Amino acid sequence: MALFAVAGQPSATAAADPAAADGRATTADAGTGYWHTSGRQILDANDQPVRIAGVNWFGFETDNHVAHGLWARDYKSMIDQMKSLGYNTIRLPYSDDIFKPGTMPDSINFYNMNADLQGLDSLQVMDKIIDYAGSIGLRVILDRHRPDASGQSALWYTASVPESTWITDLKALATRYQGNPAVIGIDLHNEPHDPACWGCGDTSIDWRLAAERAGDAVLGVNPDLLIFVEGIQTYNGTSGWWGGNLMGAGQYPVELDVPNRVVYSAHDYATSVAQQSWFDDPTFPANMPGIWSKYWGYLFEQNIAPVWVGEFGTTLQSTTDQQWLKALVTYLRPTSTYGGDSFNWTFWSWNPDSGDTGGILEGDWQTVDTVKDGYLASIKAPAFDGGGTSGGASSGTSSGASSGTSSGASAGTSSGTSSGTSAGSTGGDTGGAGSGGCTAALHVDNQWDAGFTATVTVTAGAAAVNGWTVKWSWPGGQQETSGWGADLAQSGSAVTATNLSYNGALPAAGSTTFGLQGTATGAFTVPTLSCTAS
C-alpha cells in the first residue's frame, strides 16, 4: 500500500470490493474469456458486464518474495475463503526482484499444507496461486508494486531498475500468462507520485506517456490483457493520495495500439493512513462524493472509461474512518441496483499485517473481521466461470514435515480485530471414529459473543484415502456461515463436510485441514465428529 507523501502530500491508499451475495446479473458463464472495455464498463468475451470486487493479497513485493500468510495457511484454503466471503478478484503485488534468477520464496510452511509449493521459485508459486484461483472462478490482476523489495518509488524506474527492466519484466509476465484468462490484466506501476506528472510531455516524468510505452509493450506480446493505469499525486497544483489523482486523464487519455484495454485506477484511504484536508471539512462526509468525482469519478460518470479503486482501506477505529468507508461504499454503487454498471474495486487488504489498515483477516490469518467485511457486503459481486482456466489442482496434501519454516511476520503487523471481538476461548479437540478409514477433530480457534471460528483436522488411517466426508451435529443453536477447504452444508443442527479436489487424497496417516466460521450464543461443547473415507 501507499507510503506517506512528502510534507502535506499524503500517500495513495488501497481500495477493494467483495462479491455480491444477491448474484444480480450473473449467468452460468459470467466473466468468460478475456475482457475488454466499452465506455465505463468492463465486458467479458460475450460482451456481458463484469465487476471486479476483490482483495489485495500482498507479499510478493516484500523480501519474502511470496504472498504473506503461507506460514499459517495452505494457499488453496486461503483462496477458498476469499471466494466463500464473496470476493471475486485478487490483486497480487510484486516487485521486479522475483524475476532475478534463483529468487526463492521465504516463510512458507510445508507441514500438512502447501505441499505442492515445495521447491518452487517465486514465479512458480505465483503460477500455482493464479491457476488455483482461476479454477474456482476468481480472477487475478498483477500489480507491479515496487521496483525491488526495499520500498516503493515515485517513478516507474530507479537507478538500479531502469525503464528497460520494468518493460522487459512486464512483457515476461504477459507472455507467461498468455492463454490463461485467470489473469485479466496488469497494473503497470503502483502509486506514481511527485515528481511524476500527467500530460506535461517530459518523457522522464510524464507517467501518462510511460504508461503508453509499457502498455503497448505488454499488448504487443499479449493483446488480450487489460492495462490498469493508476493516477499520480499532483496535477496542475492540486494534490491528493499517491496514485489517486486522475484529473489529467480526461484531457490527456492513455491511448494504446490495441483499443478498449485501458482501465484507470485510483487509490483512496482514510485517516488511519494519513490526514487530508477534506476530512476536516465541516460538511464531511457529505463532501466526499464531490472529492471523488473531481479526482477520478468523473471518468466513470462521463462514460469515458472504467474506473477501478485498486486500493482502499482503514482500521475502522475512528468515527471519521467509519463514515468515510460508508460513504465510499455508497459512491461505488450497490451491486443489487447497478450490477456491472458500477465502479470496480479491490480492498486493501486481505492480509492482517498491513500496519496502518489491518485486513479482512485478523492476526491469526483465519478469523474474519466481520465488521470490516460487512461494510463491503452491498458492493460484492459474483465470481466468474472457472472452466476456461488451467486448473492448478494438485495431487493432495502431504503429511510430511519440512525444515526451514519461519513465522514470516512483518514489521508493523496489525491485528485488525473488529470491535466487540474478544481473543476468545478455545475449545478442545474431539476425535472421530476410526472405523471409517479416517478420523476428524474440531478445534474452536476463537469465540466471541455472537460467533466463532474453528479448524477441523482430517487424518487418514493406516491406508491411503482418495476422499473423505466429515459429519457432526451442533449441540446448540450454532450455524455455519462460511467455510474454506471443504464443501460444507448444514441442515438443522447436522453438518456435512466433504473434501475439495485438491485435499481429498491423503497418504496413510496423512492429514489436511479445513476451516469454518459460524454464529453462536454463549459457550458450547465441541461436538463429536465422524469421518468416512472413500
Side-chain angles (χ1 to χ4, degrees):
M1 69 177 295
L3 301 177
F4 290 106
V6 294
Q9 310 299 337
S11 73
T13 303
D17 217 356
D22 57 35
R24 173 183 167 86
T26 182
T27 67
D29 59 352
T32 294
Y34 284 103
W35 300 355
H36 59 283
T37 69
S38 177
R40 69 190 193 184
Q41 291 192 322
I42 301 175
L43 306 177
D44 69 9
N46 294 327
D47 288 331
Q48 296 183 85
V50 290
R51 185 182 200 183
I52 297 165
V55 289
N56 285 264
W57 185 13
F58 66 80
F60 278 101
E61 83 285 11
T62 72
D63 55 12
N64 294 113
H65 303 117
V66 73
H68 281 181
L70 301 188
W71 53 78
R73 297 275 300 277
D74 182 87
Y75 76 99
K76 294 172 184 172
S77 169
M78 198 95 75
I79 297 169
D80 287 340
Q81 189 179 21
M82 293 176 191
K83 182 178 179 180
S84 76
L85 291 171
Y87 299 100
N88 66 19
T89 303
I90 305 169
R91 180 178 184 250
L92 273 184
Y94 71 89
S95 84
D96 291 74
D97 281 351
I98 66 173
F99 296 92
K100 295 178 179 178
T103 300
M104 298 296 290
D106 183 33
S107 304
I108 300 180
N109 187 346
F110 299 113
Y111 181 69
N112 289 335
M113 62 182 76
N114 299 310
D116 58 331
L117 303 185
Q118 199 155 9
L120 303 184
D121 64 26
S122 293
L123 280 169
Q124 290 169 330
V125 172
M126 182 178 282
D127 294 343
K128 289 283 191 177
I129 288 173
I130 288 170
D131 284 349
Y132 185 70
S135 74
I136 65 169
L138 273 62
R139 296 294 183 263
V140 176
I141 298 168
L142 300 172
D143 157 45
R144 196 283 191 134
H145 209 74
R146 301 173 175 176
D148 56 55
S150 64
Q152 293 180 227
S153 62
L155 300 174
W156 54 97
Y157 62 91
T158 63
S160 59
V161 184
E163 177 174 310
S164 59
T165 298
W166 172 55
I167 289 180
T168 295
D169 292 344
L170 288 171
K171 290 172 64 177
L173 276 183
T175 302
R176 188 179 191 93
Y177 298 113
Q178 192 167 22
N180 185 347
V183 177
I184 57 173
I186 301 178
D187 187 344
L188 297 178
H189 178 63
N190 185 65
E191 295 180 350
H193 53 277
D194 294 346
C197 68
W198 192 293
C200 68
D202 183 341
T203 56
S204 67
I205 59 173
D206 192 329
W207 167 235
R208 174 247 188 175
L209 295 180
E212 290 182 341
R213 294 193 295 274
D216 282 338
V218 167
L219 295 173
V221 298
N222 189 342
D224 295 315
L225 295 176
L226 294 175
I227 302 298
F228 296 91
V229 182
E230 298 188 26
I232 56 172
Q233 177 187 349
T234 304
Y235 181 76
N236 283 352
T238 299
S239 295
W241 297 111
W242 290 0
N245 191 334
L246 284 158
M247 294 171 64
Q251 182 177 358
Y252 302 104
V254 173
E255 297 177 330
L256 302 178
D257 292 340
V258 180
N260 304 316
R261 292 294 183 270
V262 174
V263 178
Y264 292 109
S265 175
H267 291 186
D268 199 88
Y269 281 98
T271 57
S272 58
V273 172
Q275 183 66 18
Q276 295 276 20
S277 60
W278 43 79
F279 296 125
D280 293 325
D281 190 301
T283 65
F284 177 86
N287 63 320
M288 292 310 302
I291 296 292
W292 293 319
S293 292
K294 179 178 75 171
Y295 280 97
W296 43 268
Y298 75 95
L299 293 165
F300 176 88
E301 292 157 2
Q302 297 177 26
N303 202 35
I304 295 172
V307 176
W308 167 53
V309 186
E311 292 183 18
F312 62 101
T314 165
T315 60
L316 277 184
Q317 295 304 301
S318 72
T319 300
T320 298
D321 281 31
Q322 294 162 14
Q323 292 173 328
W324 165 85
L325 185 55
K326 181 179 180 180
L328 180 57
V329 165
T330 300
Y331 184 75
L332 296 177
R333 297 163 65 95
T335 304
S336 60
T337 303
Y338 300 104
D341 186 22
S342 307
F343 291 95
N344 300 276
W345 55 269
T346 44
F347 189 76
W348 188 278
S349 61
W350 177 252
N351 308 45
D353 57 341
S354 178
D356 47 9
T357 66
I360 295 297
L361 294 185
E362 297 184 4
D364 62 0
W365 285 93
Q366 297 267 0
T367 308
V368 175
D369 184 332
T370 55
V371 175
K372 191 175 290 185
D373 180 64
Y375 270 86
L376 304 171
S378 67
I379 53 172
K380 293 180 179 181
F384 308 111
D385 172 47
T389 64
S390 53
S394 68
S395 59
T397 303
S398 165
S399 63
S402 162
S403 60
T405 301
S406 71
S407 66
S410 67
T413 298
S414 165
S415 66
T417 33
S418 62
S419 58
T421 301
S422 67
S425 57
T426 59
D429 292 340
T430 301
S435 60
C438 57
T439 59
L442 184 148
H443 184 270
V444 177
D445 301 316
N446 287 276
Q447 186 178 359
W448 57 97
D449 290 345
F452 66 96
T453 60
T455 298
V456 177
T457 301
V458 180
T459 304
V465 303
N466 293 318
W468 44 263
T469 299
V470 178
K471 296 182 178 182
W472 72 89
S473 292
W474 293 120
Q478 296 79 28
Q479 177 65 49
E480 178 264 330
T481 57
S482 66
W484 48 95
D487 185 4
L488 286 105
Q490 181 168 344
S491 177
S493 63
V495 181
T496 301
T498 55
N499 63 274
L500 298 180
S501 60
Y502 68 87
N503 62 358
L506 300 175
S511 297
T512 189
T513 62
F514 64 89
L516 64 133
Q517 182 162 327
T519 57
T521 302
F524 61 92
T525 57
V526 177
T528 299
L529 282 64
S530 67
C531 184
T532 303
S534 58

